[in-house]
Amino acid sequence: MTELAEITQKLVDFIQENLVLDGDDIKVDETTPLLVSGLLDSLRTARLLNFLRRDIGVSIPAAKLDPENFRDVLTIVTMVRELESV
């Protein structure tokens, strides 16, 4: 199982490098509000889900596609850990 800090850092890096638009002055950390800040829309969420499946090794089931599970990196990591332990 991947360490919590490692998953958190991978997610922060992925979001910063792939979801923050050029010109947006957003510095992503584990508590950046992803939905409120506009970082997650339908296309970016799809890219994030693909990253989680491909690079983290966790597929997110449709039942977990609730905005509450994508508030920030910490809530995503919590969901990933729950799914890993199933």
Side-chain angles (χ1 to χ4, degrees):
M1 200 180 294
T2 311
E3 288 298 316
L4 192 61
E6 187 181 332
I7 293 173
T8 302
Q9 192 57 55
K10 281 184 176 181
L11 267 170
V12 167
D13 292 345
F14 173 80
I15 293 168
Q16 186 70 55
E17 294 166 15
N18 297 282
L19 303 185
V20 175
L21 297 176
D22 290 339
D24 282 357
D25 191 23
I26 298 173
K27 178 71 177 112
V28 177
D29 65 25
E30 57 273 358
T31 60
T32 301
L34 301 176
L35 296 169
V36 175
S37 66
L39 280 174
L40 283 183
D41 56 20
S42 56
L43 180 60
R44 291 179 186 150
T45 300
R47 291 174 68 191
L48 176 61
L49 292 173
N50 189 47
F51 170 78
L52 290 169
R53 181 180 48 78
R54 188 187 66 237
D55 292 59
I56 306 296
V58 175
S59 292
I60 309 299
K64 291 284 189 184
L65 295 180
D66 181 322
E68 282 297 303
N69 290 328
F70 294 89
R71 281 193 318 262
D72 54 33
V73 169
L74 289 178
T75 57
I76 296 170
V77 170
T78 300
M79 175 180 58
V80 165
R81 296 297 288 203
E82 288 171 6
L83 293 168
E84 280 182 337
S85 64
V86 173

